[in-house]
Amino acid sequence: MASSSPIVYSSTLLLSLALIFIFAPEILPSQNPFFSPHDDHDDLALFNKALRSASSVHGRGHRRLRISRLATKNPTPKIAFLFLTNSNLTFAPLWDRFLRGHAHLYNIYVHSDPFSAVQIFPPPFESHLIPSKKTERASPSLIAAERRLLARAILDDPFNLYFALISQHCVPLHSFPFLYRSLLGENPLRAFTSQPRHRSFIEILSDDPNLPERYAARGDGVMLPEVPFEEFRVGSQFFVLAKRHALLVLADRKLWRKFRLKCLNLDSCYPEEHYFPTLLSMADPEGCSRFTLTNVNWTGSFDGHPYTYEAAEISAGLVRRLRRSNSSYPYFFARKFSPECLPPLMDIAEDVIFRD
Ligand SMILES: *[C@@H]1O[C@H](CO)[C@@H](O)[C@H](O)[C@H]1NC(C)=O
Ligand SMILES: *[C@@H]1O[C@H](CO)[C@@H](O)[C@H](O)[C@H]1NC(C)=O
Ligand SMILES: *[C@@H]1O[C@H](CO)[C@@H](O)[C@H](O)[C@H]1NC(C)=O
């Protein structure tokens, strides 16, 4: 017994050291949130796994046989809905109605901050939670969460061809079949072979007056040489990415090394609004529409939050106004809506929102 106690002691010590290392980022209060090397390590392994699975589907080898057998059974392309949330999914009944009857054409993935008070995942979200980590404003944790969602969706189903990022404050503005036809065309089976030409729907802006301040948020010259100011872009956080661009996002190491750095100026720190537009604009500007499909109202915005619609404002007229866009596609989604908007939205769901 006595001889074993030093071993027990030292393994306990080792274990506690390991636990401190693992949980330290969560235990220590974060005044200036940033990204822990431990989280980064986990994510990297996940992204590599997703990239390998995608290349074995598209590439040579025995995996191809398995997939093509699967494909002959159920060859439909799918849209992956990536829900990023840190509060209850209030609009679940509306999303449920949006998706009902189309189970073979979509998948759902939910990233929910485990430190938030979200306890219940009602249909259609039940059992679609992915392993999630803490997310905070003004930190790269939102970029990481979005990449985690992309990676899980790619790993889970090789037929996911489009990836739509949605928040708990987003609602649909059109029917699912209308969205599906718009993204994948009238003959969805052809979407498998046309993948190299699929476009992503992501806002990419180069003339925003806040750009210089946002670029310098991590210190002067810190973004160089990977991200010169002329290449720095901004855009809405909410994107719909084609699979080829989702893979490109998972393969990125170069820009992430810069965007994961701590901001010195937290008032100008919105990493998720810059990372995706900058990366895609550098890698494949022609492959992106430069417009988001998610309407947001910045009129009278306060503290970086857009206008939030209230129940009394919900009407057929509002839905029609929100659909109008300057891109070749209408808006398919909109945000932000207060939880009280659910009943009036449900009232007009069949006759207005999903009537196309
Ligand atoms: C989420 O819903 C549960 C159950 O209805 C409730 O107890 C909890 O307070 C809600 N959380 C938030 C953040 O609203
Ligand atoms: C955008 O928000 C403003 C209030 O800040 C409101 O007056 C306007 O009607 C909203 N736009 C739309 C299209 O609803
Ligand atoms: C479309 O573009 C015009 C001109 O830039 C702008 O005034 C208008 O607000 C835009 N409309 C929408 C729905 O974005």
Side-chain angles (χ1 to χ4, degrees), residues 31-32 49 58 185 199 208 239 253 266 283 304 309 320 331:
Q31 296 301 325
N32 189 354
K49 199 171 156 197
H58 297 299
R199 309 181 79 204
D208 189 282
F239 54 61
R253 305 284 173 267
L266 286 185
Y309 293 98
R320 289 193 199 102
Y331 285 114

Side-chain angles (χ1 to χ4, degrees), residues 16-239:
S16 9
L17 281 175
L19 287 176
I20 286 170
F21 176 69
I22 290 167
F23 290 111
E26 279 98 43
I27 291 166
L28 300 172
S30 58
Q31 296 301 325
N32 189 354
F34 77 111
F35 212 76
S36 86
H38 172 71
D39 288 344
D40 218 9
H41 182 267
D42 277 5
D43 285 345
L44 201 62
L46 173 68
F47 302 162
N48 284 335
K49 199 171 156 197
L51 289 166
R52 278 197 306 276
S53 84
S55 67
S56 64
V57 170
H58 297 299
R60 303 147 297 280
H62 65 283
R63 280 294 298 274
R64 185 187 235 177
L65 285 174
R66 215 188 76 199
I67 294 303
S68 52
R69 204 157 4 109
L70 209 98
T72 52
K73 250 177 41 194
N74 182 16
T76 40
K78 292 178 192 163
I79 299 174
F81 292 96
L82 315 177
F83 281 86
L84 179 62
T85 190
N86 60 2
S87 67
N88 286 338
L89 294 156
T90 322
F91 297 112
L94 191 63
W95 287 105
D96 194 34
R97 202 172 283 186
F98 171 75
L99 295 168
R100 201 177 296 162
H102 310 292
H104 57 304
L105 301 178
Y106 73 86
N107 283 299
I108 289 183
Y109 306 90
V110 181
H111 187 292
S112 171
D113 185 333
F115 293 82
S116 69
V118 191
Q119 294 137 353
I120 295 167
F121 296 94
F125 301 110
E126 80 285 37
S127 72
H128 297 292
L129 189 64
I130 69 158
S132 307
K133 290 181 179 169
K134 193 172 176 59
T135 51
E136 286 171 290
R137 286 188 86 191
S139 95
S141 59
L142 288 168
I143 302 178
E146 292 169 28
R147 295 174 92 197
R148 241 169 255 143
L149 279 162
L150 289 169
R152 290 286 169 189
I154 283 168
L155 268 174
D156 178 59
D157 190 337
F159 299 137
N160 285 329
L161 298 194
Y162 270 102
F163 303 83
L165 184 70
I166 312 276
S167 87
Q168 71 272 35
H169 306 295
C170 292
V171 303
L173 295 175
H174 281 284
S175 72
F176 178 83
F178 185 74
L179 169 71
Y180 189 84
R181 277 197 308 275
S182 304
L183 291 179
L184 292 156
E186 293 295 337
N187 182 353
L189 288 189
R190 296 233 312 259
F192 285 117
T193 48
S194 63
Q195 281 191 70
R197 294 188 304 280
H198 285 183
R199 309 181 79 204
S200 285
F201 301 89
I202 175 168
E203 188 175 48
I204 301 177
L205 303 172
S206 54
D207 55 359
D208 189 282
N210 295 317
L211 274 180
E213 217 179 313
R214 301 269 194 103
Y215 182 73
R218 294 163 195 83
D220 283 335
V222 167
M223 302 302 276
L224 291 171
E226 287 86 349
V227 188
F229 177 68
E230 307 72 58
E231 309 238 32
F232 189 62
R233 297 288 181 271
V234 67
S236 161
Q237 182 189 358
F238 296 92
F239 54 61

Side-chain angles (χ1 to χ4, degrees), residues 137-139 143 214 217-218 232 234-235 259 263 265-275 298 303-305:
R137 286 188 86 191
S139 95
I143 302 178
R214 301 269 194 103
R218 294 163 195 83
F232 189 62
V234 67
F259 281 92
C263 287
N265 175 2
L266 286 185
D267 294 331
S268 292
C269 192
Y270 298 86
E272 73 286 354
E273 289 186 2
H274 296 278
Y275 174 74
W298 287 110
D303 188 27
H305 291 291

Side-chain angles (χ1 to χ4, degrees), residues 295 297-301 307 309 313 318 321-322:
N295 192 335
N297 183 352
W298 287 110
T299 317
S301 70
Y307 183 72
Y309 293 98
E313 294 172 89
L318 177 68
R321 276 202 305 283
L322 292 176

